[in-house]
Amino acid sequence: MKTENHRVLIIDDERPILMTLEALLQRHGYQVDTAPNASQGLKLLKTKSHALVLLDLQLPDGDGLETLDRIKTELPDLPVIILTAHDSLHNAIESMKRGAYHFISKPYATEELLSLIEKALEKQFLLREAAQLREKTEQLEKRLEIARAQPTPIFKSKPMREIEELIDAMAPSDANVLVVGESGVGKEVIANMIHARSRRAKKPMVKLNCAAFPQTMIEGELFGYVKGAFTGAVNDFAGMIAAADGGTLFLDEISDMPADLQTRLLRVLQEHEYRHLGSTEILKADFRVIASTNRPIAQALSENRLRSDLYYRLNTFQIEMPPLRERKEDIPPLIALFLRQFSQQLGKPEPDIAPEAFQKLLDYAWPGNVRELQNAIEYAVVLARQGLIGVKELPAEIQLPTALQQTGRGAPARTGVQSLDDVERNTILQALAECHGNKKKAAELLGIQRPTLYNKMKRYAIEI
Ligand SMILES: Nc1ncnc2c1ncn2[C@@H]1O[C@H](COP(=O)(O)OP(=O)(O)OP(=O)(O)O)[C@@H](O)[C@H]1O
Ligand SMILES: [Mg+2]
């Protein structure tokens, strides 16, 4: 790879180091800018386009890690190599977690530094090339309206096989389904499967992402409107309920739907009727709901993000997707699937994975679940050399020793002490959830009389 045209920025307060480095890099064909402190460095990054930054962690005007954060926020793709004065391994590891390409401790060996820079630039080049290629393919697919064939999902582990059995049993019915699970775990995959195996498969599955949509617009999107119903309603719009007619409505991140809309949706589900905004005409609603949320249900209920009455209506079947770290058996077949997928996409022969790298992939906790694994494999396929993926070709986070890695969501975070009322309310909600809304059973489970439960439900505004 040619080094000319590559502009490198060095941020270091020790002038002799700055000068030696500048001379060294210039001799090897780089264009070099230097800055003795963070603020000048950041200013230079704004005015010129750099291919790489060498950043000292001890700077006179602030913390090097903070400077790294700022660089990564503004220019997330720009590779940064950290220079550490002492063998401060802790900071070096922290900097890799925050997105640095690598670190090198001073005094550094010239050869080592040069090869590190070259590798970082090469990686950058490959990643950019892959992104461009992907964009081209996507544009082509869009223009030709080629739907990318969805590979068959992996259901190898025991919990996933059980989920597939449940799907096969209930997909043909019209029962509503709630899919719960951490981000990236495959909730949309499940929704697609249920729809595809239902008697509604020939009709559309319409998706509304309640988290991604501006809250004020969800109502109109969902119910449709007539021209003039509100400012901005310049045309009639049929809405998603109409679009899903005879098919399935997938409500992604249902706990982000405004509360009053949840109530209105519940009414539509009960009455099978609805109206466009601004119209009095009553329309028939024929759709099945599959809803998803990545918040734990008890939490969504206790924070009033999910209305309990809607919850009981949607919860005819609840599918709890286990996080990937709890079903490691799925990891190898998922790796195989993604290896095939990405090498085809990149037009590369399928690489092998070195045993140590494979072990890293198995040991990692995957807080971002299947999506994170998919991204990691794409990254590794892009970087694979001579048909092999080694530990070095894995994302930095996965290369770290297990003890230093994030452990995934685990137990929901508790902030401080809850009030006794909150504890009581949550316990009641949990009991009701466990008994599927059956108050008699819930009262028994809680060890209280039914009237007492009714009183408490009233007091905490719990509705079923
Ligand atoms: N069992 C599986 N087999 C193959 N691919 C899967 C599987 N589960 C998930 N994936 C892939 O992982 C990615 C994330 O899945 P999906 O979008 O369904 O997750 P999600 O739970 O809806 O995530 P989020 O909470 O972020 O919306 C998708 O690209 C999907 O194709
Ligand atoms: Mg999703």
Side-chain angles (χ1 to χ4, degrees), residues 153-154 160 182-189 253 294 334 337-338 370-371 374:
I154 302 291
M160 289 300 279
E182 289 179 16
S183 172
V185 85
K187 298 184 290 297
E188 191 163 341
V189 169
E253 300 309 334
N294 60 24
L334 281 169
L337 173 73
F338 297 144
V370 184
R371 181 176 300 110
Q374 194 174 27

Side-chain angles (χ1 to χ4, degrees), residues 43 75 88 92 113 142 163 171 229 235 247 272 293 296 301 360 376 407-408 443:
K43 214 178 277 166
L75 301 161
S88 148
L113 179 65
K142 225 182 246 163
I163 287 176
N235 283 311
H272 303 284
T293 173
L301 290 172
K360 286 269 179 202
T407 48

Side-chain angles (χ1 to χ4, degrees), residues 299-366:
Q299 187 192 342
L301 290 172
S302 70
E303 288 174 356
N304 274 329
R305 287 174 179 277
L306 179 58
R307 288 195 51 112
S308 47
D309 43 10
L310 179 64
Y311 166 67
Y312 293 116
R313 187 84 199 183
L314 295 178
N315 196 33
T316 318
F317 287 99
Q318 180 167 324
I319 296 187
E320 277 211 49
M321 300 285 289
L324 189 57
R325 62 185 165 280
E326 286 171 19
R327 46 178 169 109
K328 298 215 161 186
E329 250 187 289
D330 288 331
I331 295 179
L334 281 169
I335 293 176
L337 173 73
F338 297 144
L339 276 179
R340 194 170 346 116
Q341 190 181 331
F342 291 117
S343 13
Q344 273 173 11
Q345 245 176 57
L346 294 164
K348 272 185 152 186
E350 208 177 300
D352 287 324
I353 301 189
E356 315 85 76
F358 201 81
Q359 196 57 48
K360 286 269 179 202
L361 291 169
L362 279 180
D363 292 343
Y364 185 59
W366 301 109

Side-chain angles (χ1 to χ4, degrees), residues 54-163:
L54 294 177
L55 173 66
D56 181 17
L57 274 192
Q58 282 87 31
L59 289 170
D61 59 340
D63 176 26
L65 286 174
E66 251 165 49
T67 313
L68 172 65
D69 286 345
R70 293 207 25 207
I71 296 176
K72 282 281 142 189
T73 321
E74 307 216 344
L75 301 161
D77 295 333
L78 180 64
V80 180
I81 295 176
I82 299 294
L83 307 166
T84 51
H86 324 285
D87 261 55
S88 148
L89 191 63
H90 170 74
N91 271 345
I93 286 171
E94 183 57 33
S95 69
M96 283 188 66
K97 279 191 187 170
R98 297 188 188 195
Y101 171 71
H102 226 292
F103 59 88
I104 188 163
S105 26
K106 300 189 231 175
Y108 49 83
T110 312
E111 276 315 307
E112 193 190 347
L113 179 65
L114 286 172
S115 110
L116 204 55
I117 293 177
E118 218 167 279
K119 272 196 205 136
L121 291 174
E122 189 185 339
K123 176 176 135 184
Q124 187 68 1
F125 173 77
L126 288 171
L127 286 173
R128 201 167 297 152
E129 206 175 35
Q132 278 166 2
L133 191 65
R134 186 173 42 217
E135 200 173 313
K136 251 192 229 153
T137 327
E138 273 167 16
Q139 275 171 1
L140 193 69
E141 280 171 351
K142 225 182 246 163
R143 196 159 66 226
L144 301 178
E145 291 189 8
I146 308 172
R148 188 177 286 175
Q150 287 291 328
T152 321
I154 302 291
F155 282 78
K156 172 113 200 307
S157 61
K158 187 155 175 283
M160 289 300 279
R161 276 181 316 195
E162 283 170 6
I163 287 176

